[in-house]
Amino acid sequence: MSTTVAINAREETALVSAGDTNSPCCVPAHGQEALEAAAAEALAARFKALADPNRLRILSIVSSSPEAETCVCDLSEPLGLGQPTVSHHLKIMVEAGLLNREKRGVWAYYSLVPGALDSLAATLAPKA
Amino acid sequence: MSTTVAINAREETALVSAGDTNSPCCVPAHGQEALEAAAAEALAARFKALADPNRLRILSIVSSSPEAETCVCDLSEPLGLGQPTVSHHLKIMVEAGLLNREKRGVWAYYSLVPGALDSLAATLAPKA
DNA sequence: ATAATATATCGACGAACGTCGATATATTGA
DNA sequence: TCAATATATCGACGTTCGTCGATATATTAT
């Protein structure tokens, strides 16, 4: 059964298979469906969280901070963005499962969800 | 000089460093700038190409095809998209450096650019 | 030359996105 | 209790995106 395109990395569907399949041109091998629509939607949602330069910079800053956590006040200035905008980006990444949010006192500290980026990377390069 | 956030994987900037840095909260260590704006823009552009469910399905189909190449006619039907839309998605991924386009006769064959996905994956998980 | 076919490009339209200023909520200190 | 501060949420805006139908381009066969 190696004709299925799904290869699991942390119980999620991989983008590329190790793959050999057989189908002549213009006679698509219907029945395996490649990446399921629902799985594609879920994966795309996570990549969408990475598809903005400011969010990538936020991830970079958060990951390189002392305790690998950052409060909003540290982000607004270096990014040149307003505080509401930064909060908005953070929320998107929390909802995408990339960042954790911990509120201590008046501050909100954000940190990388361990393994989140790795699991996304595994989706792109199943073996490496 | 391990304070720089940049770690190169295939001559491009990684998202997360192996990183330790020193900066007390709310006293951002300006001067290292985390991910440069330009680099972030470039990286985001590539993730943007992955941030659509139909494009992910196209990648999946292309990568699991006989010779790992596919013509447009094979994509339109299984995706349930019009031909112009498929062409549009393919163009985006070619411009993002993810797909190759080779025209043979009337057909256009698309294939994965070797290493493109891996290099993107390396950006997310520098070591693994 | 003409017809048929595969693909690309164009123009339009609605939906989603990034950003902002204004405001609401919550916590701390006087 | 009241003021100050950090963050979240809201509403609005211009821009970008995904999709489509119509059309243009190119290649092959008649």
Side-chain angles (χ1 to χ4, degrees), chain A residues 54-55 82 84-85 88-89 105:
Chain A
N54 287 319
R55 286 199 287 272
T85 303
H88 176 239
H89 284 311

Side-chain angles (χ1 to χ4, degrees), chain B residues 74-92:
Chain B
D74 285 338
L75 295 169
S76 193
E77 194 225 293
L79 294 174
L81 292 177
Q83 173 266 316
T85 302
V86 173
S87 273
H88 176 239
H89 284 311
L90 288 166
K91 182 179 186 179
I92 287 177

Side-chain angles (χ1 to χ4, degrees), chain A residues 21 25 35 38 42 47 51 58 69 72 82 94 96 99-100 107 115 118 121 124:
Chain A
T21 315
C25 183
L35 226 195
F47 281 123
I58 289 176
E69 58 180 19
V72 180
V94 167
L99 289 182
N100 278 319
W107 286 272
D118 308 75
L124 295 179

Side-chain angles (χ1 to χ4, degrees), chain A residues 8 20 22-23 25 42-43 52 54 56 59-61 69 74 81-82 84-85 87 89-92 95 100 103 110 126:
Chain A
N8 290 349
D20 54 333
N22 273 333
S23 64
C25 183
L43 234 195
D52 178 273
N54 287 319
L56 292 178
L59 283 183
S60 168
I61 294 176
E69 58 180 19
D74 285 337
L81 292 177
T85 303
S87 273
H89 284 311
L90 289 167
K91 182 179 186 180
I92 287 177
E95 285 172 347
N100 278 319
K103 187 135 191 184
Y110 289 86

Side-chain angles (χ1 to χ4, degrees), chain A residues 15-36:
Chain A
L15 223 197
V16 301
S17 70
D20 54 333
T21 315
N22 273 333
S23 64
C25 183
C26 291
V27 185
H30 240 130
Q32 68 181 31
E33 271 303 311
L35 226 195
E36 301 281 347

Side-chain angles (χ1 to χ4, degrees), chain B:
Chain B
M1 282 66 184
S2 64
T3 47
T4 323
V5 98
I7 284 194
N8 289 348
R10 284 168 144 269
E11 69 130 50
E12 75 188 332
T13 314
L15 223 197
V16 301
S17 71
D20 56 334
T21 316
N22 275 333
S23 63
C25 184
C26 291
V27 185
H30 239 128
Q32 69 183 30
E33 270 302 310
L35 227 194
E36 301 280 348
E41 197 90 38
L43 234 195
R46 297 166 71 195
F47 281 123
K48 223 169 281 188
L50 294 176
D52 177 272
N54 286 319
R55 285 198 288 273
L56 291 177
R57 298 182 79 192
I58 289 176
L59 283 183
S60 168
I61 294 176
V62 167
S63 70
S64 66
S65 291
E67 303 296 327
E69 57 181 20
T70 320
C71 55
V72 179
C73 59
D74 285 338
L75 295 169
S76 193
E77 194 225 293
L79 294 174
L81 292 177
Q83 173 266 316
T85 302
V86 173
S87 273
H88 176 239
H89 284 311
L90 288 166
K91 182 179 186 179
I92 287 177
M93 291 192 283
V94 167
E95 285 172 348
L98 300 178
L99 289 182
N100 278 319
R101 176 183 183 275
E102 189 194 350
K103 186 137 192 185
R104 288 203 297 271
V106 191
W107 288 272
Y109 292 90
Y110 290 85
S111 58
L112 285 182
V113 169
L117 291 181
D118 307 75
S119 106
L120 217 36
T123 289
L124 295 180
K127 73 176 192 70

